[in-house]
Amino acid sequence: MMQTPHISCADYHTRTSYERGGLGGHHLDWGNQPALYKAYPGRDPVLLPQDTAFPQKGLWTVLAESGVPPKRTSWGLELLSGILGLTYGLTARAPHPGGDIYLRSVASAGALYPCEIYVAAPGMPGLESGLYHFSIARHGLTPLRTGDLSFAVAEALPGSGREAPGLTFFISAIYFRSAWKYRERSYRYHLLDTGHLLENLLLALKAQGLDASVFWDFDDATVNGLLGLDPQKEVCLTLCTVPGTGHSEARGDLPDLGQTVTGASRVAPRERGYPVVEQMHASGTVMPSPPEKVPAMVDRLGLVTGQWASIHPPDPRPGALGYADAVWKRRSRRNFVPSPMPKSALEALLYGLCARSEQKPPDQSRAACTGFWVGNAEGYDPGLYLLDAPSCSRTRVKTGMFTRKMAHTCLDQMWLAPAAVHFLFMSNLAVLDHAWGARGYRYAMMAAGRMGERLYLMATALGLGCCGIGAFYDTEAQALLGLNQDSRMLYLVAVGPVKGRNTG
Ligand SMILES: Cc1cc2nc3c(=O)[nH]c(=O)nc-3n(C[C@H](O)[C@H](O)[C@H](O)COP(=O)(O)O)c2cc1C
């Protein structure tokens, strides 16, 4: 068998960079548009209860809820229905060149929704123990395997003797859904979108008093096999467990799920692969040994930092909307107006980005660093700032108005120019490669996506507009930010007042 060539984080990112004048035309083949919903012929989903009650909590309360002892140790279908609905539910109908589509509670590059969710649930009242695929269109769970699979999940996780989980959520991405439009660059979007979805899931679990752990590292082949994916077309990118009463005794090898299940990873009549995407994913399946010292990305970007200032907790409940309403009402809004962002709003955003989502955030969440470019915010001079999440502090690294130049850099999406603040996620790719190998790319991009989703929800709660931007000229962005040779911008999220909304 031919070996897949190994490529590094730096290789993949450089080979998929956009450069001005170098984009060429790419026509979307609407006749080959990927299906947005995964379907398993001959298998009907168990429908989940509708109209479930959602937690009435403030968004910042949920964001900062880590360290609270888990309040809930049992669950039922109604709870699971609410969690899945908040994580990946349908929230609006929108016109689309290929016909109307439903938008979801999570943002997704180009509304292509490459991600799927699977749930392994042992012993839940009203649901036979087993592995299920979340059918978004039907709001149901399609059975894929029966029995308590906790032992198989525990076996796929690093470290022997891992406690068998109760509930396990898996997030996968179907390559062609995003590759249809973004081609070689699509792996960036698979990972960013996964990060967005993971954050929505973690917040929904926390809001329900469930204590979740995220796993960025797992045995890829074992997990893809467990889920019945065709790994040429769909791969698991992260999983998240909730402690419970799963059983850890091995029950022998699990059977293959067969062609009807693996065949469901195909979503278009004429799919084509992009070797660089597959190579990058395959290169990241090598599990890295944890570095002795986790690199602090803020010090590795080549930016000269000034004095660090602490960010204080915001008012008890900033924003007009609570957590669940912010999720339901979240949308990408691009009609930014040149009004200042109130200081209290900016500080609430910064505080929310620093809030610890898990009791012990994994080291990998430090693979990307957050910056923010202030164009127009009360109490802040225009300029580029860096955020240090572990110490919840910020420092300024440059002064000046650059949001217009950044809009040019973002493929001339000029509606970005009046946005009050551009949040930026950056990483030193050589440091990623050195610390974690190619798998480091997954960590950095998913970490950036997670922060992106938080920004969307916080902006919605505060009555501000927000939009993620994955399309930019890469070396132009690097030069504009003044990053060193090995560092790059990974993702940008613009936030600010928009027409017709009140930041009150
Ligand atoms: C990773 C990512 C990249 C995105 N890049 C862009 C972009 O470059 N330009 C843009 O106008 N919107 C961009 N978006 C916004 C999506 O188009 C938007 O999320 C999608 O159309 C669904 O709409 P909704 O967010 O209102 O639900 C991006 C979103 C994500 C998550």
Side-chain angles (χ1 to χ4, degrees), residues 4 36 85 102 305 312 371 472 483:
T4 319
L36 286 168
Y102 283 95
T305 55
H312 301 291
F472 45 84
L483 303 179

Side-chain angles (χ1 to χ4, degrees), residues 216 220 224 274 285 343 345 474:
W216 310 71
D220 290 79
N224 291 338
Y274 288 89
T285 55
K343 186 172 185 221
D474 290 84

Side-chain angles (χ1 to χ4, degrees), residues 95-180:
H96 196 256
D100 281 6
I101 60 162
Y102 283 95
L103 301 178
R104 306 186 187 178
S105 56
V106 77
S108 167
L112 296 169
Y113 304 109
C115 297
E116 297 288 333
I117 298 181
Y118 301 81
V119 189
M124 177 183 291
L127 189 73
E128 193 181 350
S129 288
L131 173 73
Y132 295 85
H133 167 257
F134 175 46
S135 162
I136 300 150
R138 307 272 309 271
H139 195 63
L141 292 171
T142 308
L144 299 178
R145 293 184 185 273
T146 50
D148 182 345
L149 299 160
S150 325
F151 74 94
V153 178
E155 265 175 16
L157 299 176
S160 56
R162 174 79 62 190
E163 203 181 304
L167 278 177
T168 307
F169 296 85
F170 305 82
I171 301 182
S172 73
I174 298 185
Y175 288 142
F176 192 68
R177 286 229 184 98
S178 309
W180 172 70

Side-chain angles (χ1 to χ4, degrees), residues 103-104 106-111 113 189 192-193 196 330-332 334 413 415 456 467-471 491:
L103 301 178
R104 306 186 187 178
V106 77
S108 167
Y113 304 109
Y189 297 104
L192 289 169
D193 270 27
H196 274 266
R330 185 212 60 78
R331 278 283 73 79
S332 293
R334 301 173 180 81
Q413 301 185 73
W415 47 267
Y456 263 107
C467 191
I469 301 293
Y491 188 34

Side-chain angles (χ1 to χ4, degrees), residues 40-379:
Y40 294 90
R43 291 182 192 233
D44 282 329
V46 178
L47 297 184
L48 289 165
Q50 301 279 352
D51 304 323
T52 47
F54 296 109
Q56 296 296 314
K57 289 186 177 177
L59 175 56
W60 277 260
T61 310
V62 179
L63 283 169
E65 223 163 32
S66 81
V68 175
K71 287 174 241 70
R72 196 189 285 271
T73 51
S74 64
W75 41 76
L77 267 193
E78 220 171 273
L79 186 83
L80 186 57
S81 168
I83 289 168
L84 290 169
L86 280 166
T87 304
Y88 213 13
L90 303 178
T91 53
R93 194 179 163 129
H96 196 256
D100 281 6
I101 60 162
Y102 283 95
L103 301 178
R104 306 186 187 178
S105 56
V106 77
S108 167
L112 296 169
Y113 304 109
C115 297
E116 297 288 333
I117 298 181
Y118 301 81
V119 189
M124 177 183 291
L127 189 73
E128 193 181 350
S129 288
L131 173 73
Y132 295 85
H133 167 257
F134 175 46
S135 162
I136 300 150
R138 307 272 309 271
H139 195 63
L141 292 171
T142 308
L144 299 178
R145 293 184 185 273
T146 50
D148 182 345
L149 299 160
S150 325
F151 74 94
V153 178
E155 265 175 16
L157 299 176
S160 56
R162 174 79 62 190
E163 203 181 304
L167 278 177
T168 307
F169 296 85
F170 305 82
I171 301 182
S172 73
I174 298 185
Y175 288 142
F176 192 68
R177 286 229 184 98
S178 309
W180 172 70
K181 179 169 182 186
Y182 299 117
R183 299 179 288 171
E184 288 85 357
R185 197 173 167 101
S186 57
Y187 195 55
R188 298 186 183 204
Y189 297 104
H190 297 133
L191 294 171
L192 289 169
D193 270 27
T194 300
H196 274 266
L197 188 57
L198 174 63
E199 189 63 15
N200 252 11
L201 172 62
L202 287 172
L203 294 177
L205 290 167
K206 276 211 296 177
Q208 293 287 15
L210 291 169
D211 174 29
S213 306
V214 175
F215 289 89
W216 310 71
D217 288 337
F218 49 87
D219 185 295
D220 290 79
T222 306
V223 171
N224 291 338
L226 173 71
L227 302 180
L229 311 182
D230 173 348
Q232 304 300 311
K233 296 183 182 300
E234 179 180 3
V235 287
C236 182
L237 290 170
T238 187
L239 57 92
C240 165
T241 64
V242 176
T245 52
H247 291 288
S248 56
E249 313 94 64
R251 311 275 158 81
D253 287 345
L254 290 171
D256 273 358
L257 283 175
Q259 172 58 27
T260 350
V261 172
T262 51
S265 295
R266 167 181 280 280
V267 290
R270 296 177 303 284
E271 290 189 5
R272 58 155 294 189
Y274 288 89
V276 72
V277 170
E278 287 150 32
Q279 284 163 17
M280 186 58 199
H281 185 73
S283 302
T285 55
V286 178
M287 206 95 82
S289 21
E292 270 170 27
K293 194 166 178 297
V294 178
M297 252 342 143
V298 275
D299 301 328
R300 311 302 291 275
L301 302 172
L303 298 171
V304 181
T305 55
Q307 283 257 307
W308 289 90
S310 298
I311 298 153
H312 301 291
D315 291 344
R317 199 176 165 135
L321 295 181
Y323 154 70
D325 284 334
V327 176
W328 289 125
K329 300 213 163 111
R330 185 212 60 78
R331 278 283 73 79
S332 293
R333 296 185 205 281
R334 301 173 180 81
N335 49 348
F336 293 108
V337 290
S339 309
M341 181 185 292
K343 186 172 185 221
S344 58
L346 179 52
E347 299 205 328
L349 293 172
L350 298 176
Y351 188 77
L353 288 174
C354 295
R356 277 175 33 183
S357 223
E358 296 117 282
Q359 299 225 6
K360 187 180 175 310
D363 292 339
Q364 291 93 326
S365 51
R366 301 189 66 188
C369 165
T370 306
F372 56 106
W373 213 314
V374 173
N376 191 2
E378 286 166 1

Side-chain angles (χ1 to χ4, degrees), residues 1-13:
M1 213 161 85
M2 259 197 16
Q3 281 271 310
T4 319
H6 180 93
I7 56 175
S8 64
C9 306
D11 286 337
Y12 176 76
H13 204 79

